[in-house]
Amino acid sequence: MDAFTLIISLTLAVAGSFLYRDYSRFLRGAYAKYGKVVSIHQVFSSLTSHADNSTSQTYVKNGFYPVIEYPHEGGPVRFTAIDHLASGNFHVGDKVKLRILKTRRKHSRTCKTFIALISMISLLSLGMIGAAITSSIYISFGQVLLASMVIAASLSIMVLYQRDQDQHYIHELSHTKSGRAQLCIPEPAAFRHWKSALQDPVQRIKIRGSQLCGATCIGSALVMLSIALIPSIQLLLKL
């Protein structure tokens, strides 16, 4: 059996599994909608000075919060963004990008498949370095090229995943490159209603694209694994 080809196929399989399951699952629970500020709502708070820090950070005494309107299938929907970051920072007519999370977590968590992919990339890289240093390990030029492509693709997937997570889990008032204000809404009330954003064609393309690329990687890994096992199978048949 060609051990190096086996490692390449396993790395590709892990990358495919990550894309098909974990990345697409993240895309289903973290997405964006666009809206605009239609009015300002003043909210009076009765918090005392002894209130806990978590509550006092959520509300601002006599805060001026934006009423944001976003499109929906049944017509436009409005809600008041009651958050200490939003108080006094918006004006009527401002365009807002809403980043919606299915969870209330403020930090991303590394899944097991992500850790496994890092391990496989490290193992593949060590194999290439070992082959370059010692003559006892031989790998062909085609294997080096294929391994490099798999490592580059896997690293690109990891960077893209981390970037998407950073954009959704940073709960701070920020702005997009176009100047549009950006708000993060973790675990929104009535999530079934917000979930209608998954019908957005752009988000649907991202989810289907992630699943398609994952399935392609897994299929390619199975083909490579079969090729790596052929010598061993032929040897067993001769016995």
Side-chain angles (χ1 to χ4, degrees):
M1 180 190 301
D2 191 339
F4 194 73
T5 303
L6 177 62
I7 296 174
I8 296 175
S9 62
L10 290 176
T11 305
L12 196 58
V14 173
S17 176
F18 174 74
L19 279 171
Y20 188 86
R21 188 185 64 176
D22 299 287
Y23 199 3
S24 61
R25 183 186 300 170
F26 165 74
L27 291 173
R28 286 193 183 97
Y31 49 90
K33 286 188 73 69
Y34 295 90
K36 64 179 180 178
V37 178
V38 293
S39 64
I40 302 297
H41 184 197
Q42 185 175 13
V43 178
F44 297 95
S45 173
S46 59
L47 292 176
T48 64
S49 58
H50 300 288
D52 61 285
N53 293 332
S54 61
T55 306
S56 61
Q57 288 178 357
T58 305
Y59 298 97
V60 177
K61 187 176 181 181
N62 301 335
F64 292 86
Y65 299 100
V67 178
I68 300 174
E69 180 181 278
Y70 65 92
H72 185 62
E73 288 183 344
V77 178
R78 296 182 179 183
F79 74 99
T80 304
I82 302 178
D83 186 273
H84 71 285
L85 295 172
S87 177
N89 289 319
F90 290 91
H91 301 85
V92 175
D94 288 350
K95 295 182 179 180
V96 184
K97 183 175 184 178
L98 306 171
R99 290 197 174 276
I100 302 148
L101 276 174
K102 192 176 180 179
T103 176
R104 67 175 60 184
R105 289 191 285 112
K106 295 184 178 180
H107 301 285
S108 59
R109 294 179 182 174
T110 304
C111 61
K112 295 180 179 179
T113 315
F114 189 85
I115 297 174
L117 183 57
I118 294 176
S119 302
M120 293 306 302
I121 291 174
S122 302
L123 183 61
L124 194 58
S125 301
L126 288 175
M128 294 176 64
I129 294 172
I133 294 175
T134 177
S135 59
S136 59
I137 303 175
Y138 172 76
I139 56 177
S140 65
F141 176 77
Q143 288 177 317
V144 173
L145 184 60
L146 182 59
S148 301
M149 293 174 61
V150 170
I151 291 175
S154 300
L155 290 175
S156 299
I157 293 168
M158 293 165 59
V159 170
L160 186 62
Y161 178 69
Q162 288 294 332
R163 188 194 66 180
D164 285 348
Q165 283 202 329
D166 290 342
Q167 288 179 345
H168 284 85
Y169 285 101
I170 297 177
H171 294 185
E172 297 177 357
L173 181 62
S174 59
H175 291 80
T176 62
K177 293 180 180 179
S178 61
R180 189 190 299 264
Q182 192 167 239
L183 278 177
C184 180
I185 303 177
E187 197 183 34
F191 183 74
R192 291 181 180 178
H193 183 65
W194 287 91
K195 203 173 180 182
S196 63
L198 291 179
Q199 298 175 2
D200 178 72
V202 175
Q203 190 71 11
R204 189 163 57 243
I205 289 173
K206 288 182 180 180
I207 295 171
R208 298 301 178 220
S210 176
Q211 292 176 334
L212 179 61
C213 290
T216 302
C217 289
I218 293 173
S220 301
L222 292 175
V223 172
M224 292 178 59
L225 184 61
S226 301
I227 295 173
L229 291 175
I230 286 177
S232 299
I233 295 174
Q234 290 178 341
L235 182 61
L236 289 175
L237 292 175
K238 291 178 179 180
L239 295 178

